[in-house]
Amino acid sequence: MTSDPTAEADAAAEADANTETNNFQVDLRGLVDLLSHHLYSSPRVYVRELLQNAVDAVTARHAHEPAAHVRIRLSASAGRVTIEDSGIGLTAAEAHSLLATIGRSSKRGGDHGLETTRQEFLGQFGIGLLACFVVARQIRVVTRSARDPLAAPVEWLATDDGSYTVRELPHEARPEPGTTVHLEARPGAEEWTEPATVERLARDYGSLLPYEITFDDGLGGAPRHVTDRPAVWDRPFPTPAARRVALAGHCAALFGFTPLDSIDLDLPVAGVRGVAYVLPEPTSPAHRAGHRVHLKGMLLTDQADNLLPDWAFFVRAVLDTDTLRPTASRENLYDDETLAAVREALGARVRSWLAELAASEPDRLAAFLSVHHLGVKSLARHDAELLGLMLPWLPFETSDGSMSLEEFAAAHSDIHFTRTVEEFRQIAPIAAAHGLGVINAGYTYDADLLALLPSVRPELKVTELDAGAVTERLDPVPTDVELALASFLSTARTRLEPQSCDVVLRAFQPVAVPALYLDDRQARQERDRTAALESADSLWSGILGSLRGSGPRARLVLNHNNPLIRRIAGLPDPTLTGTAVESLYGQALLMSQRPLRPADSALLNRAFLGLLEWATHSTPAQEDDK
């Protein structure tokens, strides 16, 4: 069955004729609630909106009339806030169109002939004055257009119930072009209109704005300057030292700490200029610092956590940009490709600063690394060139003491490392006594750096420490001595066979250590497989049994230099000898600080009770004395 196109067109036309077009209705009170509770983090942003509109109005006036006088004046008193500008102003029609239409903005391309200057404006989202209802009960705007000299001044008066009026005023009501905005505080929001609060917020948001802004507290004194330009990092100083002092003072006033150093963040191609301050105290790599970002001079946020790479957690940055995009709330940066490129470039700038210190100012680099070596290690693990540059400076915990990789590699071409701090601390004294080079890789990033080390120094061999490597470095006992102790060693091996642990006899320093427990990754895997085999059903037992490894097992190394070991080896009672060996195993296991399996806990308990029983057992001679 085919359809008739003509009939379908007629039906569609009839449907269109019967369709009523309606406009969305906006509940202003609901919108204010949305702005104050969901879009903006605090009512304080209303000051930013006032400054933003004034600056954009002046920018538009300059585009229309370059020689026009610039004036932006903010004042506050008794629950009222006023801001006056010498900007472009509005006609009555524009006031209707722009001030009361949600989402409309005179700063969008194509509106009112401002296409050429749109990128110079701070605001792009068209919420405008309506955001001021987060603190205001009533907003009164008196404005006169600079584009139409014959147009009368206009008053736009709006209240938070969603109603507004527009009326023309006599010419003498505002002789010059520009706009004055009066806010009357809503009940409960008076604190946000206190003169001291308004001035503080104006300085916070507007200190770097391109036009001079003043503040009047209504007490009769001279208006005070809000803006403080040029930014401290752009000011000329007689010497580099004087500049560092000025930047340190700026950091102390802004962030509350005196920096170790400062790093210029100058990216002219990306429209970014600022400075990063190095924290004077260590901080966690997981901590994401909040950076301070100005957009065309207006403070966008002091909590930007996506501005620098994660590894640069040791700096706090403040900068001004005219290229990065703000989010809709204008309280953070939009994470797009542009920000990603800027973030990478800023990271490269921090990296270059480190390279410059290493090349020319080793004392400053050493002072920095004494606090923030963790951050540099985080960076170097992704950058072999930087690792090579930092080798003489990055500290590591080694069996020869705390030193740089450069110093350690000069003494050891074969480098071993442990993956845990506990394993290192157990083996370090013995390794040092026998010339074995071991690095503690149990700290953050150290294992990654050691894995990268051969790519920087190909002559070095880096391997994880295993039981065999340690055992080979320990002195063997004479053959006749080991043969004489064959019965003792046999008893010891039999007792520890259920623990998947071999027993070897060596002579090593320090003498005070009676036994050393050694294992490696393969040994641990074999132990885990054995434990799983013991608790598995018949099917899994067969599968796990087929996976039995042939690699080295854990080892209990007995120190023949230790007097206690010699006495245990000479015990005539095999049962007591076995209990003593189990006690040595348990003590060595505890010293290694490895987690205990149920079988290990049972062995420790059995050995402890066995020794107690032996120590309290009465001999026949003692019974006769009674």
Side-chain angles (χ1 to χ4, degrees):
M1 181 177 177
T2 59
S3 60
D4 183 353
T6 302
E8 289 183 357
D10 291 341
E14 183 179 354
D16 289 340
N18 294 329
T19 300
E20 180 181 358
T21 301
N22 297 288
N23 291 326
F24 285 103
Q25 300 299 311
V26 176
D27 179 356
L28 185 57
R29 294 183 185 230
L31 176 64
V32 170
D33 180 72
L34 176 67
L35 293 175
S36 60
H37 292 96
H38 301 286
L39 184 61
Y40 297 134
S41 62
S42 166
R44 71 198 299 267
V45 298
Y46 88 92
V47 175
R48 182 192 67 195
E49 296 296 335
L50 290 176
L51 293 174
Q52 174 180 298
N53 284 343
V55 169
D56 287 343
V58 170
T59 299
R61 176 79 180 274
H62 268 203
H64 175 75
E65 189 181 342
H69 174 66
V70 172
R71 183 181 69 258
I72 300 177
R73 183 170 179 171
L74 182 64
S75 60
S77 63
R80 295 178 181 273
V81 176
T82 300
I83 187 166
E84 180 182 6
D85 68 68
S86 59
I88 195 67
L90 299 173
T91 64
E94 290 168 352
H96 273 293
S97 174
L98 301 175
L99 295 184
T101 303
I102 306 300
R104 190 75 182 275
S105 173
S106 64
K107 288 156 276 188
R108 296 189 184 278
D111 285 338
H112 306 287
L114 298 180
E115 302 94 324
T116 58
T117 60
R118 185 175 69 86
Q119 291 299 325
E120 300 302 318
F121 295 118
L122 297 172
Q124 301 285 334
F125 295 95
I127 294 175
L129 278 177
L130 295 181
C132 293
F133 277 118
V134 297
V135 299
R137 182 190 68 81
Q138 177 180 278
I139 301 176
R140 179 172 178 260
V141 178
V142 177
T143 181
R144 182 167 186 173
S145 175
R147 285 188 295 267
D148 186 355
L150 300 180
V154 175
E155 178 195 69
W156 180 87
L157 182 64
T159 58
D160 62 359
D161 63 2
S163 63
Y164 74 94
T165 61
V166 176
R167 67 187 179 100
E168 292 188 349
L169 302 176
H171 284 271
E172 58 269 20
R174 186 172 183 95
E176 298 295 329
T179 301
T180 303
V181 179
H182 306 271
L183 303 185
E184 182 179 325
R186 65 194 309 175
E190 292 86 358
E191 62 176 301
W192 294 106
T193 62
E194 291 291 332
T197 300
V198 175
E199 183 177 12
R200 175 176 56 81
L201 292 177
R203 292 183 187 279
D204 198 35
Y205 280 116
S207 62
L208 298 185
L209 286 172
Y211 306 116
E212 182 176 316
I213 300 172
T214 59
F215 176 79
D216 186 355
D217 59 10
L219 299 179
R224 295 184 287 271
H225 290 282
V226 169
T227 46
D228 184 23
R229 291 183 62 89
V232 64
W233 53 82
D234 284 330
R235 297 174 190 172
F237 292 95
T239 64
R243 186 173 188 271
R244 281 199 294 269
V245 170
L247 289 174
H250 177 253
C251 176
L254 202 61
F255 294 124
F257 65 84
T258 300
L260 277 179
D261 210 337
S262 57
I263 308 168
D264 282 319
L265 303 178
D266 188 7
L267 304 175
V269 175
V272 172
R273 179 76 174 138
V275 63
Y277 294 115
V278 181
L279 293 168
E281 301 290 340
T283 186
S284 167
H287 174 68
R288 302 198 65 167
H291 306 293
R292 191 175 175 91
V293 179
H294 296 257
L295 179 62
K296 300 182 179 71
M298 179 72 78
L299 177 66
L300 184 69
T301 179
D302 57 5
Q303 293 297 321
D305 59 2
N306 55 357
L307 180 65
L308 291 175
D310 290 344
W311 54 259
F313 53 82
F314 50 85
V315 299
R316 293 283 300 277
V318 53
L319 56 81
D320 190 19
T321 175
D322 56 14
T323 58
L324 300 178
R325 290 175 56 197
T327 58
S329 67
R330 298 184 58 77
E331 294 187 296
N332 212 333
L333 294 171
Y334 188 78
D335 212 336
D336 56 9
E337 292 181 357
T338 302
L339 178 57
V342 167
R343 181 164 52 236
E344 183 177 349
L346 293 177
R349 184 65 196 91
V350 176
R351 179 188 176 281
S352 297
W353 169 78
L354 285 172
E356 291 164 7
L357 288 187
S360 59
E361 300 187 72
D363 291 341
R364 287 174 64 195
L365 178 64
F368 166 74
L369 287 177
S370 67
V371 178
H372 293 299
H373 58 273
L374 200 58
V376 178
K377 286 182 177 182
S378 174
L379 173 58
R381 66 197 174 113
H382 300 298
D383 189 333
E385 183 180 350
L386 182 64
L387 175 60
L389 187 67
M390 291 291 112
L391 277 180
W393 308 102
L394 290 178
F396 285 80
E397 186 177 9
T398 79
S399 53
D400 293 346
S402 180
M403 61 180 60
S404 70
L405 282 179
E406 182 84 5
E407 294 172 305
F408 192 72
H412 304 278
S413 58
D414 286 348
I415 296 177
H416 301 272
F417 66 91
T418 64
R419 291 191 176 273
T420 66
V421 175
E422 294 76 18
E423 185 179 5
F424 172 81
R425 289 179 179 169
Q426 183 199 23
I427 198 65
I430 298 167
H434 294 270
L436 185 66
V438 181
I439 293 179
N440 181 4
Y443 295 120
T444 306
Y445 308 132
D446 285 2
D448 294 335
L449 292 179
L450 290 172
L452 188 62
L453 184 58
S455 66
V456 178
R457 297 283 298 273
E459 73 277 10
L460 298 178
K461 180 182 178 183
V462 179
T463 56
E464 184 174 356
L465 184 70
D466 60 55
V470 177
T471 306
E472 289 171 4
R473 286 299 186 102
L474 303 181
D475 296 333
V477 297
T479 303
D480 58 333
V481 173
E482 187 160 4
L483 288 175
L485 297 177
S487 177
F488 162 69
L489 293 174
S490 176
T491 299
R493 288 163 183 155
T494 301
R495 277 300 186 99
L496 296 185
E497 177 61 29
Q499 313 306 124
S500 299
C501 181
D502 292 332
V503 178
V504 295
L505 187 66
R506 292 290 187 271
F508 58 86
Q509 300 295 327
V511 174
V513 177
L516 178 66
Y517 179 84
L518 298 173
D519 67 355
D520 51 28
R521 184 180 300 177
Q522 287 181 317
R524 290 190 288 270
Q525 289 173 346
E526 180 64 17
R527 289 180 63 183
D528 292 341
R529 187 203 61 77
T530 302
L533 178 62
E534 293 172 353
S535 60
D537 57 26
S538 57
L539 174 61
W540 283 107
S541 294
I543 295 174
L544 292 171
S546 67
L547 298 177
R548 180 180 295 275
S550 58
R553 301 195 298 172
R555 297 183 184 184
L556 181 68
V557 183
L558 302 178
N559 186 3
H560 189 254
N561 289 339
N562 182 269
L564 177 62
I565 295 297
R566 295 191 180 192
R567 288 198 296 270
I568 292 175
L571 290 174
D573 185 353
T575 302
L576 180 57
T577 300
T579 301
V581 169
E582 288 182 337
S583 298
L584 290 170
Y585 171 84
Q587 186 265 351
L589 198 60
L590 291 173
M591 290 297 294
S592 70
Q593 299 190 34
R594 289 171 175 77
L596 298 180
R597 301 173 300 166
D600 296 328
S601 299
L603 177 143
L604 278 170
N605 185 58
R606 182 173 66 248
F608 177 72
L609 293 177
L611 290 177
L612 280 179
E613 183 178 353
W614 176 82
T616 58
H617 181 68
S618 297
T619 65
Q622 290 172 326
E623 291 294 338
D624 292 340
D625 292 340
K626 293 179 181 179

